[in-house]
């Protein structure tokens, strides 16, 4: 998104506008299939985060982009029919029905919010609706118009320790939630049940229901603005698969389907005796049954009534707080703190903002220790920088060493499906890569530039760390410029391993200052070596 968009003071975008924006990415079949598969996993992960945070417009955009990439482009890639590619695309395709269901749920609310904003802008000057609109910051992004206004926006430069502390707490919270979900899965008897790939279904349902109730009230008060201009089509078309392409999709079994047979709850070990005489009222249960909080006979408490605000422009974030909560099954957690979001740390050459990336300061030395044997032999080696996003910032939390084939000048990853499976299982995205130059200086070769384009085409914040132990400087953090670097590399059709480019300034330093990467001594990280025998 350009800085022009960020400062034009636009209101919320419609689903159609979000759809058009989602389709705007640079597809290039010359980029390897594995890079596109990683990109698909990355944007799906980001969609989950936006759903958890209540940023429904951004969630809609990235999930629609995911469905477009998987259904229309990956299946047409020149490498799509190779065994490794077919294996890697299966988990991506299996998510499609759930992604489409989420899009269908989000679309009406997004369109209604957009319509109400348009009606407000048409209202006479000085009306309460116009005043409500003025409360929103003029430099707010149209993708998060209702979301960002409720967040405390901070400069990451001045709050680095806070950003890392919040990220560590959030990552731990997600791990506990995943562990509780896995434990609950094991307690179930009968049907197989996979963990939901998105936010809790009940939570999403409550949020969207609250949105619909609020919009229904707003529509009742805005009849003066009702006209054909705001009518929406009754159907909506999502990406479809070309007839010439083949989709290797595993249809879920009846036990995996939401409408399939559900397992019956186990019978209690010992049933209570009931006197079934033909006359007289049935005996009342013992009082001690109602004293047990976890007793199945105890009816759940009814949630209190919530008063919805009178304004037709309640923020998505406020609506999620107004939605009635289900009765807790565990001790209630402390009240959530104020929402925090960090401003972009830098911009591309085309003024597109770059989210801050936090890199553990000890990761590079750990990687060099793992690569020491290869370095002594004069062989290159690479690793993947994986992590997650929290509060509009990216945090590298894992150094993953994939299976790879190493030479004196190159290192190519292998068994991409294993790498992808690890990221899916651990809820990680690939934020960049790190590799050695054991016999060369610290720079980005032509091959490195083409590799980096595969990372950066879908995530502009992606970075490349080059380590040259026998040179000075011995390491650097880089990204492609845009322009001219990324578009020039994407347009390059030369296939030699090393070749010159006619354009200068293809890449720049990405570390702070003045880049978007911050090193942190307090950010922990894990190492996973996927190579056989390690």
């Amino acid at each position: 998104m350009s800085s022009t968009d960020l400062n034009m003071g636009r209101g919320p975008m419609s689903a159609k506008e979000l759809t058009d924006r989602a389709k705007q990415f640079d597809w290039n079949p010359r980029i390897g299939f594995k890079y596109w598969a990683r990109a698909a996993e990355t944007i799906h992960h980001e969609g989950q985060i936006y759903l958890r945070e209540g940023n429904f417009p951004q969630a809609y955009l990235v999930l629609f982009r995911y469905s477009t990439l998987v259904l229309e482009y990956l299946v047409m890639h020149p490498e799509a029919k190779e065994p490794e590619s077919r294996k890697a695309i299966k988990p991506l395709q299996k998510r499609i029905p759930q992604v489409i269901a989420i899009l269908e749920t989000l679309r009406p609310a997004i369109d209604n919010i957009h319509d109400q904003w348009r009606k407000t802008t048409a209202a006479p000057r000085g009306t309460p609706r116009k005043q409500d609109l003025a409360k929103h910051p003029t430099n707010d992004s149209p993708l998060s118009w209702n979301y960002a206004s409720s967040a405390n926006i901070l400069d990451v430069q001045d709050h680095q320790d806070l950003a890392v502390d919040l990220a560590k707490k959030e990552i731990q919270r997600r791990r506990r939630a995943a562990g509780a979900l896995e434990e609950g899965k094991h307690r179930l008897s009968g049907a197989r049940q996979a963990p939901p790939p998105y936010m809790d279904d009940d939570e999403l349902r409550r949020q969207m229901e609250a949105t619909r109730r609020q919009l229904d009230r707003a529509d009742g008060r805005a009849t003066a603005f009702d006209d054909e201009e705001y009518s929406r089509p009754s159907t909506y078309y999502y990406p479809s698969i070309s007839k010439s392409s083949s989709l290797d999709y595993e249809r879920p079994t009846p036990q995996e389907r939401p409408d399939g047979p559900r397992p019956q709850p186990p019978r209690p070990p010992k049933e209570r005796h009931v006197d079934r005489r033909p006359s007289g009222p049935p005996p009342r249960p013992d009082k001690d049954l109602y004293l047990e909080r976890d007793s199945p006979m105890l009816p759940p408490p009814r949630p209190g009534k919530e008063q919805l605000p009178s304004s037709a422009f309640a923020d998505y974030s406020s609506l999620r707080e107004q939605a009635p909560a289900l009765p807790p099954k565990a001790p209630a957690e402390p009240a959530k703190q104020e929402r925090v979001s960090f401003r972009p740390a830098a911009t591309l050459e085309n003024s597109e903002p770059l989210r801050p990336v936090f890199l553990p300061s000890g990761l590079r030395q750990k990687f060099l220790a793992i690569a020491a044997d290869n370095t002594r032999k004069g062989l290159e080696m690479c690793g993947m920088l994986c992590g997650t996003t929290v509060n509009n910032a990216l945090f590298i939390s894992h150094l993953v060493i994939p299976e790879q084939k190493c030479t004196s000048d190159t290192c190519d990853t292998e068994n991409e499906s294993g790498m992808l499976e690890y990221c899916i299982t651990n809820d990680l995205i690939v934020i960049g890569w790190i590799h050695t130059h054991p016999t060369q200086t610290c720079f980005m070769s032509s091959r490195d530039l083409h590799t980096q384009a595969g990372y950066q085409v879908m995530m502009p914040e992606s970075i490349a760390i080059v380590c040259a132990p026998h040179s000075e400087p011995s390491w650097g953090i880089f990204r492609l410029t845009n322009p001219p670097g990324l578009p020039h590399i994407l347009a390059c059709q030369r296939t030699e391993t090393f070749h010159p480019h006619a354009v200068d300034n293809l890449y720049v330093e990405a570390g702070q200052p003045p880049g978007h990467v911050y090193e942190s001594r307090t950010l922990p990280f894990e190492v996973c070596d996927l190579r056989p025998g390690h």
Side-chain angles (χ1 to χ4, degrees):
M1 185 188 309
S2 67
S3 59
T4 303
D5 289 333
L6 291 171
N7 292 285
M8 56 192 300
R10 290 185 52 190
M13 301 176 72
S14 67
K16 177 61 168 60
E17 292 173 319
L18 292 170
T19 298
D20 292 341
R21 173 99 32 120
K23 295 179 179 179
Q24 295 174 7
F25 62 90
D26 296 321
W27 167 255
N28 189 331
R30 289 191 296 273
I31 294 178
F33 184 92
K34 62 183 179 182
Y35 298 106
W36 285 114
R38 292 175 192 169
E41 177 59 27
T42 294
I43 60 179
H44 180 269
H45 178 278
E46 291 187 319
Q48 296 181 43
I49 300 299
Y50 289 128
L51 282 173
R52 293 169 189 167
E53 295 178 345
N55 190 346
F56 297 139
Q58 187 71 50
Y60 185 94
L61 184 148
V62 297
L63 290 178
F64 196 102
R65 180 170 291 173
Y66 174 86
S67 64
T68 302
L69 179 58
V70 173
L71 289 179
E72 295 188 356
Y73 290 98
L74 284 184
V75 293
M76 301 300 294
H77 194 279
E79 302 172 11
K81 294 184 179 180
E82 296 180 3
E84 187 63 26
S85 299
R86 292 170 63 87
K87 186 177 179 180
I89 200 175
K90 282 185 178 180
L92 305 177
Q93 291 172 331
K94 290 176 69 173
R95 291 179 177 148
I96 290 299
Q98 295 165 320
V99 169
I100 297 299
I102 292 294
L103 293 173
E104 285 286 6
T105 302
L106 296 179
R107 182 175 58 83
I110 291 173
D111 278 338
N112 286 335
I113 289 291
H114 174 73
D115 288 346
Q116 292 302 317
W117 173 79
R118 293 183 64 184
K119 295 173 186 179
T120 299
T121 59
R125 215 177 262 279
T127 63
R129 292 170 182 262
K130 193 72 174 180
Q131 294 171 1
D132 289 341
L133 180 64
K135 294 179 182 178
H136 295 278
T138 57
N139 63 344
D140 200 7
S141 164
L143 292 178
S144 55
W145 181 75
N146 282 321
Y147 166 77
S149 60
S150 64
N152 186 15
I153 310 298
L154 301 177
D155 287 319
V156 70
Q157 177 69 43
D158 301 326
H159 298 88
Q160 298 182 43
D161 292 338
L162 174 62
V164 173
D165 289 342
L166 292 176
K168 290 192 293 187
K169 292 178 181 179
E170 174 61 15
I171 291 173
Q172 287 297 326
R173 186 198 66 79
R174 294 177 189 175
R175 288 180 177 177
R176 288 194 301 269
L181 183 63
E182 189 67 21
E183 182 180 354
K185 202 173 85 172
H186 287 306
R187 290 180 179 178
L188 293 176
S189 59
R192 295 160 48 199
Q193 184 170 343
Y198 308 105
M199 66 194 305
D200 180 76
D201 291 341
D202 292 333
E203 181 182 358
L204 178 60
R205 190 180 302 111
R206 290 197 303 271
Q207 292 184 21
M208 301 313 300
E209 184 61 31
T211 302
R212 293 192 187 97
R213 289 199 304 268
Q214 178 64 23
L215 292 170
D216 289 342
R217 292 190 179 188
D219 289 342
R221 294 193 299 269
T223 54
F225 300 102
D226 291 342
D227 53 39
E228 295 181 358
E229 179 183 0
Y230 303 111
S231 62
R232 295 288 176 187
S234 58
T235 59
Y236 199 81
Y237 297 97
Y238 292 98
S240 60
I241 303 174
S242 172
K243 293 182 179 180
S244 60
S245 63
S246 60
L247 173 61
D248 189 2
Y249 169 64
E250 293 184 353
R251 185 175 298 277
T253 64
Q255 289 181 336
E256 293 175 331
R257 299 173 187 167
D259 56 349
R262 297 184 178 180
Q264 295 296 326
R267 295 175 61 89
K270 186 175 181 180
E271 296 186 356
R272 183 176 296 276
H273 174 72
V274 178
D275 188 0
R276 302 184 182 275
R277 289 176 294 183
S279 61
R284 298 180 61 186
D286 294 340
K287 292 183 179 180
D288 59 350
L289 292 176
Y290 291 94
L291 296 179
E292 300 177 6
R293 295 298 303 169
D294 296 331
S295 172
M297 299 184 66
L298 178 63
R302 298 180 62 185
K305 296 182 179 179
E306 300 287 346
Q307 297 295 328
L308 292 175
S310 58
S311 169
F313 299 97
D315 294 343
Y316 283 110
S317 54
S318 64
L319 286 174
R320 76 194 300 267
E321 295 172 358
Q322 295 161 4
L326 292 176
K329 297 181 180 180
E333 296 183 357
K336 293 184 178 181
Q337 297 180 354
E338 182 181 7
R339 188 195 307 275
V340 172
S341 183
F342 293 100
R343 287 192 178 93
T347 60
L348 292 173
E349 289 68 23
N350 62 4
S351 299
E352 181 179 354
L354 293 173
R355 291 170 293 179
V357 172
F358 283 86
L359 170 70
S361 56
L363 184 145
R364 179 172 54 88
Q365 291 299 330
K366 183 64 176 179
F367 171 71
L368 287 174
I370 296 174
D373 287 343
N374 275 21
T375 301
R376 284 191 291 269
K377 299 174 183 177
L379 302 176
E380 285 196 7
M381 187 170 177
C382 69
M384 302 294 111
L385 307 175
C386 302
T388 188
T389 174
V390 180
N391 298 327
N392 200 44
L394 295 161
F395 297 86
I396 295 172
S397 59
H398 288 69
L399 168 62
V400 182
I401 309 299
E403 294 186 36
Q404 54 194 279
K405 181 179 180 181
C406 305
T407 71
S408 58
D409 298 316
T410 64
C411 53
D412 293 317
T413 60
E414 298 180 331
N415 189 16
E416 189 64 24
S417 60
M419 172 71 187
L420 194 62
E421 181 181 358
Y422 177 82
C423 290
I424 293 174
T425 302
N426 293 276
D427 197 25
L428 299 171
I429 57 176
V430 179
I431 302 175
W433 61 305
I434 181 172
H435 72 289
T436 57
H437 279 185
T439 60
Q440 302 181 65
T441 59
C442 181
F443 75 108
M444 292 282 282
S445 68
S446 59
R447 183 182 178 88
D448 295 341
L449 296 176
H450 281 266
T451 300
Q452 176 63 15
Y455 289 88
Q456 208 168 312
V457 67
M458 276 295 193
M459 179 181 279
E461 294 89 358
S462 296
I463 59 173
I465 302 179
V466 179
C467 300
H470 304 307
S471 180
E472 189 60 38
S474 60
W475 66 285
I477 307 174
F478 306 108
R479 68 164 175 85
L480 296 180
T481 56
N482 187 8
L486 182 61
H488 178 80
I489 296 299
L490 291 177
C492 178
Q493 300 185 23
R494 300 187 64 171
T495 58
E496 309 96 305
T497 301
F498 300 104
H499 55 269
H501 293 96
V503 176
D504 296 327
N505 189 31
L506 293 175
Y507 66 97
V508 294
E509 286 274 356
Q512 270 286 336
H516 65 292
V517 180
Y518 297 85
E519 287 196 79
S520 171
R521 294 182 179 179
T522 60
L523 181 61
F525 69 96
E526 300 178 14
V527 178
C528 177
D529 198 330
L530 299 179
R531 295 175 298 169
H534 291 79

